[in-house]
Amino acid sequence: MTSPVTVLDVGHSKVTALAAANEADGRMRILGIGIADCSAIAKGKVVDPDGLAVAIESAVKKLNHAAKIEAKSLIVGVGGPQIEGTTAQGFIPIIPRSRSITREDVLQVINHSRQLMVPPGKEQIQVIPREFRIDGQGEIREPVGLSGSRLEVLSYLVFGDAAHVQALEKAVVAGGRSVDQMVLRPLSAALGTMTPEEVRSGAAMIDLGAGGTEIAVMQGGSISHTAAIPVGSSLITSDIMQLLKVDWDEAERLKVEHGGALASLCNEHETVQVLQSGQTQPRPMQRKVLCEIIESRTREIASLVRRELERSGSLARIPGGLVLTGGGAKLPAMDRVFEGAFPHVKVRSVEPNLQGIVESRPGLAAAVGMARYALQVGEDELTPASGIGNWKDRISRLISVLSGKA
């Protein structure tokens, strides 16, 4: 078994720390998971730095105990509505002409693509090469060893809110640990759920989280678009709380234990026990009423996802369909709601394979994808000849992880 990697996924309602290692046959094994409740993130930004540091410390301590390790360096996922992505181009001449292209040439051309002006208040957190071209010939995944006179690259640049990125790093460092790298969270969720064929042919990962819905469109073996919609499953809980006049915990229980995304699937005679605020005894209510509340919000989420994919021009580039994941995807019939919003598009709900952990839990796609990323990018990683100054100097081409290699 290889040396373990440790990752940290900071979500809207919880922090997840996960450790994994590759077995001798190349399969990834989950060694342990630590989860802590967290309310330090709101609208994709850190609003309680001390609370975030405490939640991270709690999650990592639980992980250390479960996996019997001591996590010192963490790969951190970054997502939310404050994340921006754009495609940029870089090019360099190969001198002397027609010599073999080296890893140093690849690093140089990728860094040239990074020279895009950073938007005000933003910080570049990741660069993901999508495609290389040699003398105008495109769709090249690995240019090293090939010959030519001009090397080009199309890269996907990821920008995050500078204050948010810095607050995340400070919260990790507060516990005596370091950030090994920051990784685009929607990309991680895609790596944790999609098949190699979906990544190659084109598909959209939809992560239905508590605080929002994140989208990653994979095409031609790389990422082509990412977005975040600030409407998530916590708003479903809020709707139930307000319309049924119950407290938050009761609303969450009703959603998880009795909820469904399509009211038409409910039997007219089904009832659920509802404990309203200020009451001591629950009263019966038609389950269909509960599901009607949920359906209204899930249809809105599906409509917003469709609108985003249409706006970005991605809808016509996903023959592999939609891959739903996250806690919201666990709602019965959520896939059918999306099928209604996306006629003739294949939709499937999936949670990552947790080999090594018996209990399957929702909302782990990003953490599992980050672990897969960390274990497989080693040979693809490019670093300056002078070495790595900090995590911002790392460039991972993702050749092996996006091609589905073990």
Side-chain angles (χ1 to χ4, degrees), residues 88-90 107-118 124-128 153 155 157 159 382 391-395:
Q89 186 174 15
L107 175 62
Q108 185 179 350
V109 76
I110 293 172
N111 277 330
H112 185 254
S113 72
R114 300 177 75 177
Q115 304 309 307
L116 199 68
M117 182 176 294
V118 179
Q124 193 178 115
I125 60 174
Q126 195 175 15
V127 54
I128 306 165
V153 68
S155 296
L157 307 184
F159 300 95
L382 298 169
W391 60 268
K392 298 173 189 176
D393 294 328
R394 295 182 184 275
I395 297 175

Side-chain angles (χ1 to χ4, degrees), residues 97-359:
R97 293 169 61 90
S98 299
R99 68 166 171 81
S100 293
I101 293 169
T102 66
R103 288 174 65 89
E104 288 71 26
D105 294 325
V106 174
L107 175 62
Q108 185 179 350
V109 76
I110 293 172
N111 277 330
H112 185 254
S113 72
R114 300 177 75 177
Q115 304 309 307
L116 199 68
M117 182 176 294
V118 179
K122 297 290 183 178
E123 187 170 338
Q124 193 178 115
I125 60 174
Q126 195 175 15
V127 54
I128 306 165
R130 292 180 55 192
E131 176 191 353
F132 292 96
R133 297 172 182 169
I134 299 176
D135 297 339
Q137 179 182 346
E139 299 185 3
I140 297 172
R141 296 295 307 280
E142 174 54 278
V144 174
L146 301 179
S147 300
S149 59
R150 177 184 170 98
L151 177 63
E152 301 175 61
V153 68
L154 288 178
S155 296
Y156 192 76
L157 307 184
V158 182
F159 300 95
D161 179 83
H164 177 67
V165 172
Q166 292 163 15
L168 277 178
E169 186 168 13
K170 286 181 181 178
V172 172
V173 172
R177 300 174 181 87
S178 62
V179 174
D180 185 59
Q181 192 170 5
M182 289 198 178
V183 179
L184 180 61
R185 192 179 184 279
L187 170 64
S188 301
L191 297 180
T193 55
M194 282 187 173
T195 66
E197 178 55 34
E198 287 169 336
V199 171
R200 285 191 293 267
S201 66
M205 185 285 310
I206 315 298
D207 189 353
L208 300 162
T213 300
E214 294 184 334
I215 301 169
V217 179
M218 308 299 289
Q219 183 187 13
S222 189
I223 189 165
S224 64
H225 178 66
T226 184
I229 298 169
V231 180
S233 58
S234 66
L235 282 181
I236 297 175
T237 307
S238 179
D239 291 343
I240 296 170
M241 182 178 70
Q242 294 178 34
L243 293 174
L244 297 186
K245 296 180 172 54
V246 298
D247 62 25
W248 181 272
D249 289 342
E250 177 69 354
E252 186 70 15
R253 184 192 70 81
L254 289 168
K255 180 182 75 173
V256 173
E257 295 182 6
H258 304 288
L262 277 181
S264 60
L265 299 180
C266 295
N267 187 305
E268 293 285 350
H269 303 293
E270 283 184 279
T271 61
V272 294
Q273 295 296 313
V274 178
L275 179 62
Q276 292 185 303
S277 300
Q279 302 299 310
T280 58
Q281 295 296 322
R283 69 178 184 86
M285 183 193 72
Q286 274 191 308
R287 178 171 178 262
K288 188 173 184 178
V289 173
L290 170 66
C291 293
E292 285 173 345
I293 295 170
I294 295 173
E295 180 178 345
S296 177
R297 185 65 76 174
T298 58
R299 288 194 181 279
E300 178 195 10
I301 294 172
S303 175
L304 290 171
V305 169
R306 182 182 178 92
R307 188 183 307 171
E308 173 58 32
L309 292 178
E310 288 177 333
R311 184 200 64 79
S312 65
S314 300
L315 188 57
R317 302 197 298 266
I318 53 170
L322 303 181
V323 178
L324 308 184
T325 192
K330 300 290 284 185
L331 274 170
M334 180 64 90
D335 54 347
R336 295 182 58 172
V337 169
F338 273 81
E339 286 171 353
F342 291 83
H344 313 300
V345 175
K346 182 176 70 174
V347 179
R348 71 182 183 97
S349 296
V350 64
E351 284 299 325
N353 179 19
L354 302 181
Q355 183 178 349
I357 299 293
V358 176
E359 180 186 358

Side-chain angles (χ1 to χ4, degrees), residues 69-81:
I69 62 170
E70 185 62 35
K72 291 295 186 182
S73 181
L74 302 170
I75 291 180
V76 181
V78 182

Side-chain angles (χ1 to χ4, degrees), residues 54-78:
V54 169
I56 290 174
E57 182 68 12
S58 175
V60 174
K61 281 187 174 180
K62 291 177 182 178
L63 169 65
N64 289 343
H65 177 75
K68 297 179 174 57
I69 62 170
E70 185 62 35
K72 291 295 186 182
S73 181
L74 302 170
I75 291 180
V76 181
V78 182

